[in-house]
């Protein structure tokens, strides 16, 4: 499966690309919301992993625009912000899941796989 990772922190992004790659997925990374939106609109991805706090467009705005443009791929929002209001807003904007940092790679991979099964 082809997964787009929209994450500005290079270390976190490398961790995700490596872990998803080792799980049999083809993960590609962009470092800001504008590039993430462009790639998601122009190319076909099976799922997206989107950081909440991004330069360019934040994760909420990226998610809002994706859903407004009828991008139906599952979106997992990841963030250091773990308050209920943050999670609720992401889910109401169309996220399929929300995972608070720090998280284990096995959990992220399992959640991505669950979303892909439903898609």
């Amino acid at each position: 499966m082809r997964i787009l990772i929209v994450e500005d922190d290079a270390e976190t992004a490398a961790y995700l690309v490596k872990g998803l790659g080792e799980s049999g997925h083809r993960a590609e990374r962009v470092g800001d919301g504008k590039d993430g939106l462009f790639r998601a609109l122009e190319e076909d991805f099976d799922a997206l992993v989107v950081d909440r706090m991004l330069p360019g467009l934040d994760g909420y705005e990226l998610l809002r625009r994706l859903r407004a443009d009828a991008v139906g791929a599952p979106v997992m929002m990841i963030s250091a912000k773990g308050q209920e209001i943050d999670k609720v807003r992401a889910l109401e904007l169309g996220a399929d899941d929300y995972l608070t940092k720090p998280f284990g790679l096995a959990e992220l991979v399992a959640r991505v796989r669950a979303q892909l099964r439903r898609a």
Side-chain angles (χ1 to χ4, degrees):
M1 297 288 167
R2 190 167 178 226
I3 300 171
L4 179 63
I5 298 167
V6 187
E7 169 62 65
D8 61 321
D9 180 72
E11 187 175 324
T12 301
Y15 175 70
L16 296 174
V17 168
K18 183 176 186 268
L20 288 166
E22 289 173 353
S23 299
H25 303 289
R26 193 172 69 201
E28 302 172 35
R29 181 243 179 174
V30 294
D32 68 59
K34 287 182 181 180
D35 288 343
L37 179 63
F38 177 79
R39 294 279 307 273
L41 293 176
E42 296 297 318
E43 302 175 43
D44 289 324
F45 289 95
D46 298 297
L48 290 86
V49 176
V50 177
D51 187 26
R52 153 80 177 84
M53 296 179 286
L54 293 166
L57 293 174
D58 73 6
Y60 290 150
E61 183 62 17
L62 171 59
L63 182 57
R64 188 191 68 72
R65 291 187 188 189
L66 289 173
R67 296 310 188 218
D69 283 320
V71 173
V75 175
M76 167 159 315
M77 178 99 32
I78 58 174
S79 180
K81 293 188 175 254
Q83 293 183 349
E84 182 180 26
I85 192 168
D86 300 308
K87 296 174 186 179
V88 168
R89 182 167 183 211
L91 294 168
E92 287 180 345
L93 286 170
D96 296 280
D97 201 354
Y98 190 106
L99 190 56
T100 303
K101 296 176 186 179
F103 51 80
L105 190 55
E107 180 180 6
L108 176 112
V109 169
R111 287 174 179 254
V112 168
R113 283 185 180 155
Q115 292 303 321
L116 290 170
R117 279 194 305 270
R118 291 185 197 115

